[in-house]
Amino acid sequence: MTDRARWLVPFALLAGMFPAAAQEQPSLAPYQMVRSLQTLQDRIAAGDHAALPMQNKLLELIDGRLRDAPDDAFTEKRNVRAALVYGMSGGNPATLTSILRRPTLSNEDRKLGRGVLGYLSGDIEAAQAALADVDPRTLTPELGAFLALVKGSVSTSGNETAALAFFDYARLLGPGTLVEEAALRRSLAIEASLGMTDRFFLASEQYVRRFLRSPYASQFADSFVTGILALHKTLDYAAIDRIAAMLDADQRQVIYLRLARRAAIEGLTELSAFASSRARDGLPADAPDARSKLYSSLSVLTSENIEDVAA
């Protein structure tokens, strides 16, 4: 059993099922509690939606523990870095702000904290300035993965290649985690904008294989469809079918219907007709889908046969 999993069993289950009793247990160090949180979030990334309520309770307990921790607790480097990970894991920014005021923190940790807070508050310039000379690869994997994700996310327009490199670092440093899940999703838009068709479909396939049951999979579906539209001049429709074949019947229909609708709106008649046809595949003959018929009809509006369009 890994160190992270070892801390999950005695603490996260207690926190999720018996929160009042958990408060009475001997205090765990902040870094131990945050490891439990990370393990729980790994389960969520793998599709364990039942862990979501437990995550909220655990965040609440960690928040209280960090606020009540004495100053000397943050002479321990692991506790400081754990507080940063907590902030990037859905924690309370106000708690992180209060920790950065502790007198025992080093200048380096304060700088990292300012970068994290800038990212959490949407102050992209502050995040970029604080993290400009930070190399995530030189930090512990748990913190480095998050900071690589942050640096990729706050990269400005024109730095798309650098952003992709940071997302790659995030995935390498945090395999199987919500960090990797987010890095894969966020890379799709950049790959599509840069015309990186092969890489776009490779990342899509990796996401479907590893994180299809993630609670954020609907965001992947949106990014996948948007990317296909951006790449419509260079893509092979067989690549779309290859990804769709990895989904169940309902998921495939959702993807193809979204694609058919968006393609029809954009005037991409060939792509709309393709997606509409695929959306109808597998449906019972006596239960046609009205949306796929509509989008298919929109794709032939330029036809010279007005009778076909009217029908």
Side-chain angles (χ1 to χ4, degrees):
M1 180 177 291
T2 65
D3 188 42
R4 287 170 60 186
R6 186 160 50 86
W7 286 114
L8 174 69
V9 175
F11 184 75
L13 291 179
L14 178 65
M17 299 175 66
F18 308 104
Q23 300 283 5
E24 299 173 1
Q25 298 302 306
S27 295
L28 296 176
Y31 78 88
Q32 295 167 337
M33 298 172 68
V34 172
R35 284 179 181 175
S36 297
L37 174 64
Q38 289 181 282
T39 303
L40 196 63
Q41 291 183 330
D42 292 350
R43 288 170 50 183
I44 294 171
D48 185 358
H49 293 201
L52 283 169
M54 189 180 293
Q55 174 189 234
N56 295 335
K57 175 54 66 176
L58 189 48
L59 283 167
E60 179 184 334
L61 291 171
I62 294 174
D63 183 71
R65 193 65 54 84
L66 287 171
R67 284 179 176 273
D68 294 339
D71 288 343
D72 60 10
F74 296 103
T75 59
E76 169 63 72
K77 204 75 166 176
R78 290 179 296 182
N79 288 337
V80 178
R81 300 301 169 86
L84 297 176
V85 170
Y86 156 80
M88 292 182 285
S89 300
N92 186 352
T95 298
L96 182 56
T97 299
S98 69
I99 291 173
L100 295 182
R101 298 193 185 106
R102 302 295 184 105
T104 52
L105 264 65
S106 67
N107 290 334
E108 178 189 6
D109 288 332
R110 291 184 201 282
K111 189 174 182 180
L112 291 176
R114 289 195 299 270
V116 172
L117 284 174
Y119 168 70
L120 295 176
S121 65
D123 189 342
I124 303 302
E125 292 184 358
Q128 291 171 342
L131 301 177
D133 58 355
V134 174
D135 185 347
R137 295 169 297 179
T138 64
L139 304 172
T140 61
E142 292 174 342
L143 180 60
F146 272 106
L147 288 176
L149 180 66
V150 169
K151 292 197 68 168
S153 300
V154 301
S155 294
T156 58
S157 177
N159 291 329
E160 287 85 355
T161 301
L164 279 180
F166 283 122
F167 288 147
D168 285 344
Y169 295 151
R171 293 170 53 201
L172 289 170
L173 294 170
T177 66
L178 275 178
V179 171
E180 183 187 14
E181 189 269 350
L184 274 173
R185 274 191 292 108
R186 296 179 189 184
S187 69
L188 294 180
I190 297 176
E191 290 156 353
S193 70
L194 295 178
M196 305 172 71
T197 306
D198 291 342
R199 177 168 172 147
F200 171 84
F201 280 105
L202 176 60
S204 298
E205 182 175 343
Q206 290 173 327
Y207 188 94
V208 169
R209 289 187 182 280
R210 305 182 71 173
F211 300 110
L212 188 59
R213 296 179 60 207
S214 162
Y216 309 107
S218 63
Q219 296 179 27
F220 158 77
D222 290 336
S223 297
F224 181 63
V225 169
T226 300
I228 290 173
L229 293 172
L231 295 167
H232 72 276
K233 293 181 179 180
T234 59
L235 60 80
D236 180 355
Y237 290 172
I240 303 175
D241 286 336
R242 185 178 72 251
I243 302 299
M246 302 167 66
L247 312 176
D248 63 33
D250 290 339
Q251 292 168 330
R252 278 196 300 275
Q253 188 182 42
V254 167
I255 289 290
Y256 281 127
L257 282 174
R258 288 187 186 185
L259 181 57
R261 176 182 178 275
R262 293 281 303 278
I265 292 172
E266 296 290 334
L268 305 176
T269 56
E270 182 180 346
L271 182 57
S272 181
F274 160 79
S276 299
S277 174
R278 290 292 192 270
R280 293 195 300 270
D281 288 349
L283 291 176
D286 58 349
D289 186 273
R291 290 168 298 177
S292 62
K293 281 196 169 186
L294 170 63
Y295 305 144
S296 178
S297 298
L298 288 174
S299 69
V300 297
L301 281 177
T302 58
S303 170
E304 295 181 359
N305 189 337
I306 192 62
E307 288 78 13
D308 288 346
V309 176

